[in-house]
């Protein structure tokens, strides 16, 4: 947890992530991305979109509305059963998830996913699983708690209708299956991708941005023939892992976790877990959903979701392989993976974020060595800012300015000195090696461009 607390502090102090509604003492489990954090998260979303839309043949992006007809949630099963097993501690009145209590108590050796509510209650009673807040073992029975946030629409009270804030983005892809297929003349197999907000009234939010009540998902639904669906499921497991390696993760900090308990319609499901400072936790999910989603929407909407193969004339409801990753949870993992403390030769410690240069909030910082070099430094800044996010800093010693850039993971620092005025050259310092090279301002754009590709 040591590093976790340090990362949370760094995020606040360096403009990465602030507590939500901070001046009003916050609102629990809400977080605001600051000037540095929004760049990082946008770069992560761009990298994902590039991989799963731009570089993914037959994949189409959409941006669906957060509000959807309530019947969507009846069809998807969320109204009836999108719930967590919650228990209240009678002693300190805090609320806990029964499955999490068992997982923590058994140190991951017992799998609550395959237990019924009654079995979980018996386990908790038999093993005297204590409340993590007050240490007592005095629980209510388990009740299932629906995680959807609801609100109402309409201008007068009488006309109010219940609507939900979507708890996942996936339904936007499913209900647009026909629209995308027809408008883009798409042939199965094809994919629909989306990045957007989702909302869940989580029983136990926490651990910084790991589990929040509002978050962003990046989802890719692959519509395919049932006979090839398991092959695609395996392919998506590999693609999801490859993407994480590509953006800078160490393979040893990632692992597959196949699900033992499957939804009745699912043929297979797995997560990729990341070794967060709080332990191994889910980073993304890959789910083989069969034809459940389209069949249910066909049943509830009355619209045919049948696809006719243009070559064989076969009619079928496509299967879906879903790949879903939280943009915030991934951003948190990127922060944890990048965080490093290095002992320097002079005995000082430098905190450095080793972001992949393509993800780094600023690609470079322009640092004039003295204030009277500002004019030249500003000229270089304006030239580079046409191409990249660039920081400009002329306040404080050069050592302190380097440290600040290291802490926000700027891969290159460009210093402007008196020679720059003479020969139009600058010094570029590498964040990771701290090595410096001298190059001309004219070469800078190409130099940076080469460094920031995946
Ligand atoms: P968990 O078991 O951690 O609650 P889940 O299995 O319910 O997650 P999915 O419904 O499969 O998650 O959602 C897909 C992804 O969305 C997750 O892998 C995660 O990255 C992200 N996600 C889900 N819930 C949250 C949340 N409350 N806060 C932040 N990210 C979330």
């Amino acid at each position: 947890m040591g590093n976790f607390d340090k990362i949370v502090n760094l995020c606040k102090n360096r403009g990465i992530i602030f507590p939500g509604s901070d001046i009003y003492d916050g609102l629990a489990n809400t977080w605001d991305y600051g000037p540095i954090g929004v760049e990082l998260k946008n770069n992560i979303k761009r990298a994902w979109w590039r991989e799963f839309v731009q570089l993914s043949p037959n994949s189409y992006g959409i941006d669906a509305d957060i509000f959807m007809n309530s019947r969507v949630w009846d069809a998807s099963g969320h109204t009836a059963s999108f719930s967590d097993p919650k228990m209240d501690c009678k002693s300190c009145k805090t609320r806990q998830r029964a499955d999490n209590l068992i997982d923590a108590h058994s140190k991951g050796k017992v799998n609550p996913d395959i237990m019924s509510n009654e079995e979980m209650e018996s386990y908790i009673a038999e093993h005297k699983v204590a409340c993590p807040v007050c240490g007592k073992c005095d629980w209510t029975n388990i009740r299932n708690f629906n995680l959807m946030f609801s609100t109402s629409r309409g201008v007068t009270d009488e006309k109010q209708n219940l609507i939900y804030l979507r708890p996942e983005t996936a339904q936007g892809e499913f209900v647009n299956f026909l629209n995308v297929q027809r408008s883009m003349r798409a042939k199965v197999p094809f994919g629909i991708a989306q990045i957007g907000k989702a909302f869940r009234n989580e029983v136990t939010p926490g651990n910084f941005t790991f589990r929040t009540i509002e978050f962003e998902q990046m989802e890719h639904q692959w519509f395919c023939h049932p006979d090839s669906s398991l092959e695609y499921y395996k392919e998506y497991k590999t693609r999801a892992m490859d993407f994480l390696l590509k953006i800078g993760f160490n393979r040893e900090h990632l692992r597959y976790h196949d699900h033992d308990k499957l939804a009745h319609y699912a043929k297979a499901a797995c997560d990729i877990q990341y070794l967060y400072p709080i332990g191994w936790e889910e980073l993304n999910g890959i789910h083989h959903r069969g034809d459940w989603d389209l069949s249910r929407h066909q049943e509830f909407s009355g619209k045919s979701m049948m696809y006719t193969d243009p070559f064989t004339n076969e009619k079928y409801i496509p299967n879906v392989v879903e790949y879903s990753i939280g943009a915030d949870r991934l951003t948190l993992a990127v922060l944890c993976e990048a965080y490093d403390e290095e002992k320097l030769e002079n005995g000082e410690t430098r905190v450095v974020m080793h972001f992949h240069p393509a993800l780094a909030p600023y690609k470079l910082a322009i640092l004039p060595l003295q204030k009277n070099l500002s004019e030249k430094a500003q000229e270089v800044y304006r030239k580079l800012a046409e191409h990249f996010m660039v920081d400009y800093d002329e306040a404080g010693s050069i050592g302190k300015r380097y440290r600040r850039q290291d802490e926000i993971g700027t891969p290159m620092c460009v210093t402007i000195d008196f020679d720059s005025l003479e020969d139009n050259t600058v010094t570029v310092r590498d964040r990771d090696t701290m090595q410096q090279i001298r190059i001309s301002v004219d070469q800078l754009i190409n130099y940076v461009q080469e460094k920031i590709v995946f």
Side-chain angles (χ1 to χ4, degrees):
M1 280 299 263
N3 272 358
F4 207 50
D5 294 339
K6 288 181 185 171
I7 290 167
V8 175
N9 282 334
L10 181 84
C11 282
K12 178 158 187 192
N13 295 332
R14 287 289 175 245
I16 302 172
I17 301 173
F18 306 125
S21 315
D22 205 11
I23 59 168
Y24 289 94
D25 297 331
L27 171 68
N29 303 298
T30 63
W31 301 95
D32 298 340
Y33 288 81
I36 306 300
V38 71
E39 295 300 331
L40 176 66
K41 190 174 162 191
N42 280 343
N43 290 340
I44 289 171
K45 289 193 283 184
R46 243 178 250 130
W48 186 88
W49 194 262
R50 178 177 183 274
E51 192 67 24
F52 289 95
V53 181
Q54 189 179 329
L55 295 176
S56 191
N58 300 335
S59 284
Y60 306 93
I62 61 163
D63 183 11
D65 215 298
I66 285 170
F67 290 119
M68 303 183 84
N69 188 309
S70 295
R71 286 179 48 74
V72 168
W73 306 113
D74 295 336
S76 67
H78 282 81
T79 337
S81 60
F82 186 55
S83 56
D84 276 342
K86 76 165 173 74
M87 296 178 103
D88 291 335
C89 171
K90 289 189 202 158
S91 170
C92 70
K93 312 284 181 235
T94 55
R95 183 161 286 179
Q96 304 292 335
R97 267 173 65 171
D99 51 344
N100 289 352
L101 288 172
I102 294 172
D103 195 45
H105 180 268
S106 70
K107 300 201 166 52
K109 293 204 180 89
V110 175
N111 181 2
D113 288 355
I114 51 173
M115 296 166 110
S116 65
N117 283 359
E118 292 69 31
E119 284 166 338
M120 285 196 272
E121 279 170 1
S122 307
Y123 180 97
I124 286 166
E126 260 170 44
H127 294 83
K128 301 199 172 29
V129 178
C131 169
V133 179
C134 69
K136 301 268 166 48
C137 182
D138 191 8
W139 299 105
T140 60
N141 286 344
I142 293 176
R143 267 174 299 163
N144 286 330
F145 174 73
N146 196 298
L147 304 182
M148 281 202 292
F149 279 107
S150 60
T151 185
S152 47
R153 68 174 296 273
V155 284
T156 59
D157 280 350
E158 302 87 70
K159 288 196 182 146
Q160 279 182 350
N161 283 321
L162 198 62
I163 50 171
Y164 298 99
L165 277 76
R166 67 179 175 199
E168 61 175 29
T169 53
Q171 298 306 321
E173 284 105 284
F174 300 138
V175 303
N176 280 296
F177 166 72
L178 289 178
N179 283 336
V180 172
Q181 194 263 316
R182 285 177 188 152
S183 60
M184 304 310 289
R185 294 174 296 136
K187 293 188 183 61
V188 171
F190 71 92
I192 306 183
Q194 170 166 222
I195 299 179
K197 292 271 187 182
F199 304 82
R200 293 182 190 176
N201 200 358
E202 297 277 6
V203 178
T204 52
N207 285 324
F208 196 30
T209 53
F210 179 79
R211 191 183 305 285
T212 48
I213 52 177
E214 172 183 340
F215 54 97
E216 241 174 320
Q217 287 186 314
M218 309 195 281
E219 294 202 307
H220 191 272
Q221 313 290 336
W222 186 248
F223 299 91
C224 55
H225 191 281
D227 291 350
S228 37
S229 55
L230 271 172
E231 274 312 303
Y232 284 120
Y233 169 73
K234 285 187 206 142
E235 185 183 314
Y236 268 83
K237 277 176 80 167
T238 310
R239 284 188 73 188
M241 181 64 84
D242 287 348
F243 169 67
L244 295 171
L245 300 178
K246 193 169 184 177
I247 64 170
F249 282 90
N250 179 338
R251 181 65 181 81
E252 283 170 18
H253 299 160
L254 298 165
R255 71 180 186 193
Y256 289 109
H257 169 73
D258 290 313
H259 289 201
D260 297 319
K261 185 179 165 188
L262 295 176
H264 61 91
Y265 52 84
K267 287 195 187 140
C270 101
D271 304 333
I272 293 178
Q273 298 182 331
Y274 172 67
L275 186 55
Y276 289 91
I278 48 170
W280 286 103
E281 293 288 352
E282 172 177 336
L283 176 55
N284 69 233
I286 301 124
H287 308 124
H288 184 305
R289 302 179 61 96
D291 67 1
W292 160 262
D293 305 283
L294 293 185
S295 298
R296 291 280 289 189
H297 285 305
Q298 173 168 286
E299 184 188 335
F300 279 69
S301 70
K303 307 282 182 325
S304 170
M305 296 287 160
M306 282 284 176
Y307 173 75
T308 308
D309 188 293
F311 303 109
T312 63
N313 266 337
E314 185 190 359
K315 286 190 188 344
Y316 61 93
I317 295 184
N319 274 205
V320 168
V321 174
E322 171 184 79
Y323 158 51
S324 174
I325 182 162
D328 308 273
R329 213 176 262 192
L330 177 57
T331 303
L332 180 59
V334 166
L335 286 163
C336 297
E337 188 73 2
Y339 185 87
D340 196 11
E341 290 175 11
E342 279 177 17
K343 269 259 169 288
L344 298 176
E345 277 171 11
N346 64 6
E348 284 178 16
T349 303
R350 98 172 163 133
V351 170
V352 53
M353 298 299 265
H354 294 288
F355 297 129
H356 188 295
L359 301 185
Y362 290 119
K363 303 305 174 215
L364 64 170
I366 309 294
L367 314 174
L369 281 185
Q370 292 187 21
K371 284 230 163 91
N372 51 6
L373 292 163
S374 299
E375 198 180 322
K376 177 70 181 171
Q378 283 283 345
E379 178 197 312
V380 176
Y381 168 77
R382 279 194 300 274
K383 186 171 171 157
L384 287 150
E386 292 278 346
H387 301 266
F388 316 105
M389 280 302 297
V390 186
D391 197 9
Y392 180 89
D393 188 3
E394 54 181 31
S397 75
I398 189 68
K400 285 210 177 99
R401 283 184 273 165
Y402 280 151
R403 285 299 97 81
R404 186 180 177 279
Q405 296 301 330
D406 289 343
E407 289 182 8
I408 58 173
T410 307
M412 286 156 274
C413 283
V414 174
T415 46
I416 313 283
D417 54 27
F418 285 103
D419 287 342
S420 312
L421 302 179
E422 301 293 319
D423 60 7
N424 203 33
T425 61
V426 291
T427 301
V428 183
R429 171 204 183 253
D430 181 278
R431 172 197 68 197
D432 300 332
T433 62
M434 294 192 281
Q435 301 285 313
Q436 305 195 351
I437 58 156
R438 191 87 190 168
I439 63 171
S440 103
V441 171
D442 299 330
Q443 292 172 303
L444 254 182
I445 293 168
N446 280 347
Y447 180 78
V448 179
Q449 227 132 26
E450 277 168 23
K451 293 264 175 192
I452 62 170
V453 287
F454 284 114

